[in-house]
Amino acid sequence: MPRFLRLIIWDAMFFLILTAGYAAVQYLGPQTTAAYLVTMLTCAVCGAFLAQLSSWGIHWTELILVGLPALYLVLAPFLSVWVDTAGFLPFLIVPDCLLQSASSTLRMAGALTLGYLLWKKFR
């Protein structure tokens, strides 16, 4: 149980940092020096988080609890086309903010995270 709890806390902090970095860049404007610095800081912190995760070892729980949210970020535009337009759910699976071009940073971070997890697990 301590490993599972530690992983849940890690996951929440990792995606919170990604979200805060994304919000800061949107607030500062994507073409400013401060936004570039925030993006680099976010990448550095998330890289440190991934290094910490790999020191624990990558098991199936990491793939499920970290990989699935990362996969969701990567596939958000494709999910919205198939699931949200079908109309059989009373709510949206993908919020509109994930469909904007400004959220490409989040999708790239999700792809890098998922790729890193799969590489560490199956190498």
Side-chain angles (χ1 to χ4, degrees):
M1 185 64 177
R3 181 180 177 86
F4 181 76
L5 185 60
R6 179 177 56 188
L7 188 59
I8 292 293
I9 292 169
W10 181 95
D11 198 31
M13 290 177 60
F14 180 77
F15 286 107
L16 181 68
I17 289 170
L18 278 178
T19 305
Y22 167 73
V25 168
Q26 294 307 307
Y27 178 74
L28 295 170
Q31 302 299 325
T32 62
T33 304
Y36 176 75
L37 292 174
V38 166
T39 302
M40 290 298 107
L41 183 64
T42 303
C43 289
V45 171
C46 287
F49 267 77
L50 287 175
Q52 177 63 35
L53 182 67
S54 69
S55 71
W56 297 339
I58 304 297
H59 302 288
W60 290 105
T61 53
E62 283 82 2
L63 287 177
I64 292 170
L65 294 175
V66 178
L68 283 182
L71 184 64
Y72 169 76
L73 285 176
V74 172
L75 296 179
F78 305 108
L79 288 174
S80 71
V81 171
W82 293 100
V83 177
D84 289 344
T85 58
F88 59 85
L89 293 175
F91 56 90
L92 294 176
I93 297 291
V94 180
D96 292 333
C97 64
L98 286 179
L99 299 177
Q100 298 173 358
S101 63
S103 67
S104 64
T105 306
L106 289 175
R107 288 193 295 277
M108 284 187 272
L112 286 172
T113 303
L114 185 61
Y116 181 78
L117 287 173
L118 292 174
W119 175 70
K120 289 299 270 187
K121 176 69 180 164
F122 297 111
R123 68 178 172 120

